[in-house]
Amino acid sequence: MKQTLADTELTGPVQQMKYATTDPDGKYYGYELSFFDEKGLLLRWEDYTSTHQLDKTLTYTFDEQGNLLEKALTSAAKGPIYKNRYFENGALKECTEYYGEDTFYTRYDEAGNVLEQLENNDPLPVEEDPYNEQWETNTSTDDDGCRIEITRYYSFGALQEITKSKYNSRQQLLEEYKFQDTDGFDSNQAVETIICQYNEQGHLTAKISDRVTTTDAVERTVYRYEFTYDLHHNWIEKVEIMNNRVTDYKDKVRFIRRREILYAP
């Protein structure tokens, strides 16, 4: 969930934003309301159903320096869902989850290791990672000054996947290639490729994904996004278009997102 105006790609003295979704047939999927303070911090997020009923509320608490201290999600019908507390560096410190009459509590250190787990205040054994997963990432810069990341994913010590990613100066993904093994990586035989394109405002306008099937065929999916902006250069309408095998490779509008933005006087 976004926590600041910058995260939401909003500019200007925004106080409130309404975010609604429809499809081309006019089906209404409800809306969200976000409320910001004068520092641009998100204080509260509310989710409403298509019948305009409040469904969930997410509240944020920050310290004077703007560091997130606590985040709590509540269901209008069922009550608390979870409450998280954070270290100053943003790492999760404590998590309390509510499931009907049961409450689960987990405490972490700043490195993300589980220190304590409780169920209804009774101690639980700390669970080990059932997949024994590890990630190894190497970062470099290419001749164009773009950041390159190569991540190797292991499970139980065995290499499962290699991902090569390229980012622009805004740290937005430009290209991503996934390889099944070292041989595929060395021969540049990716099993999945993603190419992203952005406009002058820095918004994603196209995402092209090619996936190699088990029969060595290539399935392509293209997502395109068309924007309309207000005088503050914030988008107020985004049309999402998909082109793939499901749509018979024809451009099809999937969703229309609209934002109503209230600015401070």
Side-chain angles (χ1 to χ4, degrees):
M1 184 64 199
K2 308 301 185 181
Q3 296 171 195
T4 68
L5 288 177
D7 293 332
T8 319
E9 299 179 343
L10 290 168
T11 61
V14 178
Q15 291 183 328
Q16 178 183 320
M17 179 185 70
K18 180 180 180 181
Y19 181 101
T21 300
T22 60
D23 66 16
D25 298 323
K27 182 178 179 180
Y28 190 60
Y29 289 87
Y31 62 95
E32 306 168 7
L33 290 177
S34 299
F35 302 88
F36 302 88
D37 67 7
E38 65 280 358
K39 297 179 181 178
L41 299 175
L42 178 59
L43 300 180
R44 190 170 78 258
W45 171 84
E46 298 173 351
D47 183 40
Y48 290 82
T49 67
S50 59
T51 57
H52 305 276
Q53 301 297 311
L54 177 63
D55 184 26
K56 294 185 288 290
T57 301
L58 186 61
T59 57
Y60 293 82
T61 303
F62 299 88
D63 63 18
E64 294 182 356
Q65 288 72 43
N67 298 312
L68 180 63
L69 296 177
E70 186 176 284
K71 181 169 65 173
L73 181 65
T74 302
S75 165
K78 300 180 181 180
I81 298 175
Y82 72 76
K83 179 182 290 186
N84 293 344
R85 297 183 62 206
Y86 299 86
F87 291 102
E88 288 187 2
N89 65 0
L92 183 61
K93 183 178 183 179
E94 297 175 345
C95 175
T96 305
E97 300 173 284
Y98 304 88
Y99 298 93
E101 300 297 324
D102 297 319
T103 301
F104 294 86
Y105 169 83
T106 307
R107 182 167 60 90
Y108 303 85
D109 64 16
E110 293 190 63
N113 300 306
V114 175
L115 300 179
E116 181 183 25
Q117 287 184 317
L118 302 175
E119 179 180 358
N120 300 325
N121 292 321
D122 294 326
L124 288 174
V126 176
E127 295 183 1
E128 297 183 359
D129 179 5
Y131 303 102
N132 192 11
E133 297 176 307
Q134 301 90 34
W135 287 265
E136 177 186 286
T137 300
N138 297 314
T139 304
S140 61
T141 303
D142 67 7
D143 294 338
D144 297 326
C146 295
R147 177 166 59 91
I148 304 296
E149 284 188 356
I150 298 176
T151 299
R152 290 173 171 82
Y153 163 62
Y154 299 86
S155 178
F156 292 100
L159 179 64
Q160 302 294 324
E161 185 178 82
I162 302 175
T163 302
K164 181 178 180 180
S165 306
K166 178 178 180 178
Y167 299 86
N168 62 17
S169 59
R170 292 177 171 174
Q171 305 309 312
Q172 295 169 313
L173 180 67
L174 292 175
E175 303 172 5
E176 184 173 273
Y177 305 90
K178 292 187 178 181
F179 307 91
Q180 287 184 324
D181 49 36
T182 302
D183 290 341
F185 178 76
D186 292 339
S187 60
N188 200 32
Q189 297 296 314
V191 294
E192 186 174 346
T193 301
I194 296 175
I195 305 296
C196 297
Q197 300 170 2
Y198 303 87
N199 60 16
E200 293 180 356
Q201 290 83 1
H203 293 128
L204 180 68
T205 56
K207 180 180 178 181
I208 304 167
S209 174
D210 290 322
R211 186 177 66 86
V212 179
T213 68
T214 55
T215 60
D216 291 331
V218 178
E219 291 186 349
R220 168 165 288 193
T221 301
V222 180
Y223 295 97
R224 294 195 295 109
Y225 308 90
E226 298 177 353
F227 295 89
T228 301
Y229 296 87
D230 66 11
L231 297 178
H232 289 268
H233 307 292
N234 292 313
W235 70 261
I236 53 177
E237 182 178 275
K238 178 169 70 172
V239 180
E240 299 183 5
I241 302 167
M242 185 173 71
N243 179 318
N244 72 350
R245 184 165 56 87
V246 176
T247 61
D248 195 25
Y249 294 97
K250 297 177 181 178
D251 282 349
K252 179 181 180 180
V253 175
R254 300 176 67 239
F255 299 107
I256 302 170
R257 319 283 187 182
R258 293 185 175 91
R259 303 198 301 190
E260 298 177 13
I261 303 171
L262 175 65
Y263 297 93

